[in-house]
Amino acid sequence: MIGLDTNVLLRLLTRDDARQHAAAKRFIAQNCGPTDPAFVNRVVVLECVWVLESFYAYSCEQVADAIAGLLLVAEFDVEDAPVVRETLEAYRAGADFADAFIACSNADRGCTGTATFDYAAAKRIGHFAAIR
């Protein structure tokens, strides 16, 4: 299994550099498949969201659709895919992706809540508990 860096996924998603987009597609086709998928770790997912929002100015729906699409690619093994799916639900409902990812990841690991001083996040994300 080979891991993918954020920039490879961004070239595939944004197609902003035709040469690198073609090279990324070729690499995936030649080196990855359903029985030997490329690994997409959770940090890469988080970084993708951040870059799509901040640099490419993607809307929440565009970002959510892009990440949801990654989960469907047989050539990719997205780390903690069920947690990413749950995070996308909270994100689509208005939560910050990173906050939701933290809360959902902690809940997946058995935490009864995630303590925070972010009161707005605590209102939007069920797994957050505001410290007063």
Side-chain angles (χ1 to χ4, degrees), residues 83 102-114 127:
V83 174
I102 291 166
C104 293
S105 295
N106 289 350
D108 184 63
R109 297 306 190 275
C111 297
T112 58
T114 297
H127 300 300

Side-chain angles (χ1 to χ4, degrees), residues 40-132:
V40 179
N41 77 53
R42 57 194 301 117
V43 175
V44 168
V45 172
L46 189 57
E47 193 174 40
C48 263
V49 170
W50 183 81
V51 172
L52 291 173
E53 287 177 338
S54 63
F55 184 78
Y56 292 95
Y58 275 33
S59 70
C60 171
E61 280 304 311
Q62 289 173 306
V63 172
D65 288 347
I67 300 304
L70 293 177
L71 296 170
L72 300 175
V73 177
E75 291 80 11
F76 297 157
D77 176 10
V78 178
E79 182 179 20
D80 293 334
V83 174
V84 174
R85 283 186 192 89
E86 184 181 3
T87 300
L88 285 173
E89 289 177 29
Y91 179 67
R92 287 183 194 270
D96 175 76
F97 189 89
D99 288 340
F101 206 14
I102 291 166
C104 293
S105 295
N106 289 350
D108 184 63
R109 297 306 190 275
C111 297
T112 58
T114 297
T116 184
F117 287 112
D118 188 338
Y119 304 117
K123 288 180 182 178
R124 284 194 282 285
I125 303 167
H127 300 300
F128 265 8
I131 297 173
R132 302 278 173 196

